[in-house]
Amino acid sequence: FKRLIVVLLLSNKLVVSCTSCNRDEYFLGYLTKLLQNHTAYACDGEHLSLHCPRHSTISVQSAFYGQDYHICSTQEPDTRMTEPINCVAPTSLQKVLDECQNLRSCQLLVNSRVFGPDLCPGTTKFLLVSFKCKPSK
């Protein structure tokens, strides 16, 4: 009884093909979650949750906490600020690493008190995290 599992990365999409497989959907789904990049975001005042499947942990690739122009804004489009302002918290990556790296799941409250200091008071901000799930040792 032979199984052939082929994993391809096509245009940033993970394609997993399995011939002569019957109950391997769980394994293939697990493998897919381990190999792909995950992105999660949350707006000020929300919680950001990161989660990896069993036998794997979070490996943070990047983190950005800063001003949002489209994702979280409740303002009308014509009243939003159009000039970019440098409102990026330099501590974003380290904070997410401290809270989430090598854990199976974590949850972060998104606000300037956590990621401060607030470089642009009164503006809407968000947290964007890119991570992978790496196999546990």
Side-chain angles (χ1 to χ4, degrees):
F1 185 79
K2 292 184 179 180
R3 291 184 182 155
L4 174 63
I5 299 175
V6 180
V7 179
L8 302 171
L9 189 59
L10 301 171
S11 302
N12 289 335
K13 294 285 185 183
L14 184 65
V15 178
V16 179
S17 174
C18 181
T19 59
S20 301
C21 296
N22 47 19
R23 296 181 338 172
D24 290 327
E25 290 83 12
Y26 174 79
F27 172 74
L28 293 176
Y30 175 78
L31 183 61
T32 298
K33 284 192 173 188
L34 288 183
L35 295 174
Q36 70 186 13
N37 287 319
H38 302 276
T39 303
Y41 78 90
C43 302
D44 268 339
E46 298 176 347
H47 283 89
L48 177 72
S49 295
L50 307 181
H51 182 76
C52 286
R54 284 190 313 172
H55 309 297
S56 68
T57 59
I58 296 165
S59 176
V60 177
Q61 304 298 298
S62 65
F64 168 90
Y65 176 75
Q67 188 173 8
D68 164 56
Y69 293 103
H70 305 290
I71 297 173
C72 304
S73 183
T74 57
Q75 295 177 326
E76 293 298 318
D78 56 339
T79 63
R80 293 181 191 156
M81 296 174 63
T82 55
E83 289 298 316
I85 299 173
N86 188 13
C87 290
V88 178
T91 59
S92 305
L93 178 58
Q94 190 59 55
K95 180 64 178 173
V96 176
L97 285 168
D98 290 346
E99 297 295 324
C100 299
Q101 187 74 0
N102 298 321
L103 298 177
R104 185 168 168 223
S105 64
C106 71
Q107 195 172 54
L108 292 163
L109 176 61
V110 179
N111 69 36
S112 59
R113 288 185 301 278
V114 174
F115 292 93
D118 192 347
L119 300 176
C120 298
T123 62
T124 304
K125 296 170 200 67
F126 76 114
L127 175 63
L128 176 68
V129 177
S130 175
F131 68 100
K132 291 186 176 200
C133 296
K134 65 178 183 179
S136 301
K137 295 178 182 172

